[in-house]
Amino acid sequence: MTKPKIATDWLAGCSGCHMSLLDIDERIVQLAELADIRATPVTDLKEPDESGVDVGILEGAVNLTTNEEVAHRMRRRCKILVALGDCAVFGGVLTMRNFHKLEDALRRAYVEAESVDGDGKIPSSPELGRPTRVRALDEVVDVDVYIPGCPPDPDVIFYALSELLQGRIPELKDEKLHWH
Ligand code: SF4
C-alpha cells in the first residue's frame, strides 16, 4: 500500500514551528512509517513535486509576495492544508507590523536597530518579493486544519499528523488546544 505523502514549507516566521515538529524526537520514525515525507525546508528537497502530496503543512504568516507564491503552490499541490503555529493560524507576532507604516518598520529593523552595525540597508533584492500587509494563511488560501501555538506543542503536532495520516481530521480541543 502506498503511504500518504507529506510536504512542509515556511512563509514568514522564525522556523520555531519546524523545530517543534522535529521535537517529536523518535516519534519521527513512527511518522516515517505512516507517511512518505516528500519535501521540507530542512531536507534537500525543498518543495512538493508537481504530482502533489496528501498533506501540506505551512508555517508562518504571509508577509511578502513570495510568501503568497509559496502558499498558492502548496495549496495547489496538496489535498489537506495545515496551518502550523500562531503566525499561520492568525498572523501571530508579525501582525504588530501592521500597526506601523511599512517604511518605518523596515527602517527601524534594518537601519536603526541597536544590533545594526551602522551600515544598515533595507534589503531590496527582487528575489525577496515585495512586502505586503501581514496576513494569516487563510486570508490568502483555503486552510483545512489549524494547529495553534507559538510554537505548537510537539505532542499536539504528532497527534494531529497521526490522525491526518490515518485519514481522520484531528479534533484539537481541551488539553490539545494551546494558545501560548
Ligand atoms: S508561531 Fe511562533 S514559533 Fe511558529 S513561526 Fe511564528 S513566531 Fe515562530
Side-chain angles (χ1 to χ4, degrees):
M1 196 177 79
T2 51
K3 297 185 204 174
K5 296 179 195 163
I6 297 185
T8 81
D9 210 336
W10 51 36
L11 308 168
C14 73
S15 46
C17 292
H18 272 76
M19 295 305 110
S20 204
L21 173 58
L22 294 176
D23 270 349
I24 66 175
D25 298 326
E26 66 277 3
R27 289 173 293 178
I28 198 98
V29 176
Q30 282 173 256
L31 272 191
E33 281 166 4
L34 287 172
D36 179 5
I37 302 171
R38 298 294 302 163
T40 84
V42 293
T43 54
D44 286 345
L45 189 59
K46 305 291 184 204
E47 57 188 64
D49 40 61
E50 287 186 22
S51 61
V53 293
D54 296 282
V55 179
I57 302 168
L58 286 174
E59 164 194 318
V62 179
N63 183 35
L64 290 163
T65 50
T66 40
N67 298 149
E68 292 172 357
E69 290 163 16
V70 171
H72 283 292
R73 181 178 64 213
M74 185 64 92
R75 181 68 276 185
R76 277 196 308 277
R77 295 186 182 179
C78 74
K79 293 178 188 155
I80 295 174
L81 180 61
V82 179
L84 179 66
D86 286 353
C87 293
V89 170
F90 67 89
V93 69
L94 276 76
T95 52
M96 288 196 292
R97 206 253 285 147
N98 290 342
F99 295 100
H100 302 275
K101 278 194 201 152
L102 174 63
E103 300 71 31
D104 292 346
L106 291 173
R107 191 177 61 251
R108 176 72 190 125
Y110 290 102
V111 180
E112 298 171 355
E114 291 70 11
S115 53
V116 173
D117 63 6
D119 193 22
K121 273 196 208 123
I122 296 172
S124 58
S125 163
E127 283 180 18
L128 295 172
R130 279 178 292 102
T132 64
R133 186 174 68 82
V134 180
R135 287 156 293 162
L137 181 57
D138 68 4
E139 291 183 72
V140 178
V141 293
D142 289 338
V143 170
D144 304 297
V145 174
Y146 297 83
I147 307 179
C150 180
D153 187 305
D155 292 343
V156 176
I157 295 175
F158 180 73
Y159 162 77
L161 293 184
S162 303
E163 289 291 286
L164 285 167
L165 293 172
Q166 293 172 83
R168 298 186 288 267
I169 294 293
E171 199 177 346
L172 297 185
K173 61 179 187 180
D174 302 329
E175 78 281 358
K176 289 198 174 62
L177 189 59
H178 296 277
W179 299 91
H180 54 93

